[in-house]
Amino acid sequence: MAPTGGRGPAARRNGIGTRIIVNGAERQVEAPPEESLLSVLRNRLQLTGTKYGCGEGQCGACTVLLDGRAARSCRVALSAAAGKRITTVEGLEQNGRLHPVQAAFLDAEAFQCGYCTPGMIVAAVALLQRQANPSDEEIATQLAGNVCRCGTYPRILAAVKQAAAALRQGPAR
């Protein structure tokens, strides 16, 4: 029997030592490489803001930022996230202050049940990082893959526009 020493097929199957950077902190995760990033975040790292919706990448409830781009964490294998920067909804606040998108969602009451909200917020952050002043159409297009079963889309649109304005003004003093 050959020793695995953390490098053989058994080690790859177990995912020993997969390094990911979550919300700015480097983490070593022991999980199978094919395990979904969503499962790792929720079940192994206890970051439950990212939601399980459809498991097919169609509803957007599991959206995270992966190296700054919106990604459906239910469809990303841990091995594909290795060494990458992952930002969840929990990682958006800085120094106890909500991200402007989070604050705008609260101000505009852009949620009802709240299940879609983390994914919507993260998708909106990704949009506003690329486009400082998106049109209503650009917002709708960017968020089209995020489903709100309660139908609060008009308030979501208002929140994204409010956040865009806040971000263009710069940090509050």
Side-chain angles (χ1 to χ4, degrees), residues 6-101:
R7 286 192 275 277
R12 283 192 297 278
R13 239 187 341 270
N14 294 330
I16 295 173
T18 303
R19 181 181 74 89
I20 56 177
I21 303 159
V22 181
N23 299 331
E26 187 171 313
R27 306 290 296 265
Q28 290 290 118
V29 179
E30 293 188 26
E34 68 278 0
E35 186 171 337
S36 75
L37 179 57
L38 173 63
S39 176
V40 168
L41 292 171
R42 290 184 59 80
N43 301 328
R44 296 181 187 274
L45 301 179
Q46 283 66 56
L47 293 169
T48 58
T50 305
K51 303 300 182 202
Y52 178 90
C54 66
E56 302 285 330
Q58 299 297 311
C59 74
C62 67
T63 303
V64 298
L65 297 179
L66 190 60
D67 279 344
R69 301 187 66 116
R72 305 294 199 249
S73 62
C74 72
R75 304 301 292 168
V76 175
L78 175 60
S79 60
K84 296 195 170 144
R85 291 176 297 111
I86 301 153
T87 305
T88 68
V89 71
E90 294 96 338
L92 294 175
E93 68 84 22
Q94 296 295 313
N95 301 317
R97 294 185 63 103
L98 292 177
H99 185 282
V101 175

